Amino acid sequence: MKLLATVLLMGFPWFLWGQPDHADFGTTQISKMEAERWSPNLKKSFGSYNGDNYQWNYAECYWEVNPLDRYITGRVVHHIAIDNDAGDTISFDFNEALSVNSASIDGEPVPYFFFDAFSLGLDIGDVNISENSVVEITYEGEPNNSNLMSFNQAVRTINGENLFEIYTLSQPYGARDWWPCKQTLRDKLDSIFIEITVPEGFRAGSNGKLEYEDENPEGTIGFGWKHRYPIPAYLISMAVAEYDSFSQFVEVGGSEIEILNYIYPERLALEQKRAQDIPEMMVLFSELFGIYPYADEKYGHAQTAIPGGMEHTTMSTMSNLNFNLSAHELAHQWFGNKITCGSWEDIWLNEGFATYINGLAIEFLRDEDAFRTFKEGLRGNILAQPDGSVFVNDTTSRSRIFNGRLSYNKGAYLLHMLRWELGDDVFFEACRNFINDPELEFDYVYTNDFISHLESASGRDLNYFFDDWYYGEGHPQYKVEWNRTSNGVGLEIEQTPSHQSVDFFEMHLPVKLIGSGNEVTVVLNHQFSGQRFLLTPGFQVEQIQFDPDLWILSENTVVFNPSTNFGSDEILVLPNPVSGVVKFTLLNPAQFAQYAEILNTQGKVVMTYNPAGPIRDSFEMDVSRLAVGTYIIRLINEDSSTSTRFVVARN
Ligand SMILES: [Zn+2]
């Protein structure tokens, strides 16, 4: 109850605690929960990490906890490579609320001291440093409560009995609150071994493969977990409760992956039912982004009182196993864990991807309506405000880093629009190349790494796109005015950006033309506000739908305006009939084309005009070699074209 009261005072939304057990979270709720749980930790800011003078290679952690006490006893053995010019001190991120009992290097005790509230220094003056220095620190104490979420004791009451648990949540800076480590996003451990000793009856979930469950003579059990992949401090966790468990097994790419679930006993049946889609998600994500990165260890979940979930590598900590949350945390095993944002500035590479992949799970495993609801949920949240960039412009603010609207939802929509602009094949290929790049995999990555892969897969320069949608703020507001012409429809599309940081969002815009019994979707290359498009779908258009499948993040107004004259003859041909050089003039000043072709009445192209730049105003062609007869001049601009007839005669 104490925890509950404190949490409510910290301003968490009621639904986190009101009924977390049975909630099916919506996507925007997940981002909201992740965003808001960091707000209590307002202490130390960026740039003050420890450990720049050594490489953090391997750690063995021996932790002992009893969920009835909010207390930890620890022995951590770091294997590090100390730089030759390291100086007199090496330091670890560690909270002075815990007492250090001993520190040694290669078995020799060394002096240690806290040089600020979060930094433990070890004196290395007399030590022979080597490629593999073994640093051992023993400590104990009650982890500081100022960072509410890093080391948590929680209790739930079942049939009048109080059931206690302990779980950790270290993202972004909480690991130091319960163990001495290196929190910087510049170094990952190559691998880790974790032993968690708990009283009989409790189980301890953690990273990697469970090597043993050893009963000790004093009635405790040690759970030995081994993780053989690079991992940053914030993804290392423990979750201790009186768990029941169940496993699911999935065949992916020839290997069988275990999904091991540590679940509250009273919730076993419910969570088993909820978890039924997770194996299919594992298959889907492996197909889209390459096989699950930790297939030879496991995936799994440990249930705790955490608000939402956290993607601890190979064992996510979960409030429950509902569809959206399970998809989100599983997606992080690829985007966040296998590759990790190299700065909190790039957090969207973790959270935008996880949010979008949650959407892909809905699209591929559920149905179109559910995917539409997902997209509408994101739009409702993002478009409610006119500003804000996916790029984090203030990394000293945790609430800005984990801003649900921008880092999660707008980041996800940015990916959706890239998929639209590049097409499914190129988009997914670029994502796969990015995450499986031997230079990047299991390492830290930056937005520019992703852009390089998008550009090489597509052969396109995407700076304009990222300038508008990543660094720029806001979104386009479109006003589409349309009217019928003699042979089709005309559209005039105005765009007003919602924020002055972007002049114009260059986008391909899908428009569906609907007539009785007919419909066609055309894609318009929108290059300036007020651009006009003349379309001849070959049927009488009754209605148009602008961006019917919600590809573009925008606010849209569509107006049928019968008084707008888009003109019927869009191309003036002079002279007509012609025997030599003919001049074609575009009558609509807003119109332009990429190239032109002359077709005979059988529809065969007999001449083309393909200048380096776009065709505007007018151009000339010599048609003296064409046989006498009727021809069609067609001006083509991406998916729209306009044409008119003319006659070739002989003098
Ligand atoms: Zn997340």
Side-chain angles (χ1 to χ4, degrees), residues 477-549:
Q477 297 162 312
Y478 290 109
K479 187 179 169 207
V480 182
E481 228 176 74
W482 71 282
N483 190 13
R484 294 189 191 92
T485 61
S486 58
N487 57 351
V489 288
L491 288 85
E492 183 173 303
I493 305 181
E494 281 176 30
Q495 180 198 120
T496 314
S498 69
H499 189 267
Q500 79 277 4
S501 59
V502 179
D503 292 335
F504 182 82
F505 291 86
E506 291 83 5
M507 294 299 286
H508 288 84
L509 304 175
V511 178
K512 190 188 256 188
L513 311 176
I514 303 165
S516 54
N518 282 301
E519 58 176 51
V520 64
T521 300
V522 295
V523 178
L524 308 174
N525 184 4
H526 194 222
Q527 294 294 326
F528 56 91
S529 185
Q531 191 176 355
R532 285 187 166 195
F533 300 90
L534 295 158
L535 308 169
T536 48
F539 57 85
Q540 162 96 14
V541 175
E542 306 291 346
Q543 192 198 335
I544 75 164
Q545 289 176 356
F546 182 77
D547 189 18
D549 296 323

Side-chain angles (χ1 to χ4, degrees), residues 3-179:
L3 180 66
L4 179 69
T6 321
V7 166
L8 289 174
L9 285 175
M10 300 310 297
F12 280 87
W14 66 270
F15 62 80
L16 299 184
W17 300 91
Q19 42 164 218
D21 293 1
H22 305 287
D24 274 327
F25 303 130
T27 307
T28 49
Q29 274 176 311
I30 294 171
S31 57
K32 203 173 173 204
M33 283 184 286
E34 292 197 7
E36 295 192 10
R37 69 189 178 206
W38 318 124
S39 53
N41 183 348
L42 296 172
K43 284 201 173 164
K44 201 177 185 186
S45 64
F46 256 73
S48 43
Y49 291 126
N50 290 299
D52 269 348
N53 58 355
Y54 62 86
Q55 259 183 27
W56 198 32
N57 292 331
Y58 170 62
E60 289 167 39
C61 304
Y62 301 87
W63 290 313
E64 187 162 355
V65 295
N66 178 346
L68 272 55
D69 293 318
R70 201 172 163 282
Y71 199 86
I72 184 167
T73 306
R75 179 166 73 92
V76 173
V77 183
H78 294 292
H79 294 247
I80 63 176
I82 303 175
D83 297 348
N84 285 325
D85 55 355
D88 294 334
T89 309
I90 55 164
S91 53
F92 295 87
D93 296 300
F94 197 40
N95 192 316
E96 66 178 358
L98 296 169
S99 315
V100 176
N101 295 328
S102 68
S104 67
I105 301 181
D106 297 330
E108 294 296 319
V110 294
Y112 54 88
F113 55 97
F114 279 96
F115 58 88
D116 67 38
F118 299 105
S119 304
L120 175 70
L122 268 58
D123 200 333
I124 59 169
D126 299 328
V127 174
N128 284 325
I129 59 170
S130 71
E131 279 291 286
N132 182 19
S133 296
V134 181
V135 178
E136 183 171 319
I137 299 165
T138 63
Y139 65 97
E140 66 186 294
E142 185 185 343
N144 201 321
N145 225 347
S146 66
N147 182 349
L148 188 72
M149 301 307 296
S150 44
F151 186 90
N152 309 283
Q153 182 189 38
V155 60
R156 67 193 196 283
T157 306
I158 303 295
N159 301 327
E161 195 188 347
N162 285 337
L163 299 173
F164 288 86
E165 66 184 42
I166 276 179
Y167 70 94
T168 61
L169 175 76
S170 296
Q171 192 189 34
Y173 317 116
R176 64 182 181 213
D177 286 342
W178 58 281
W179 66 295

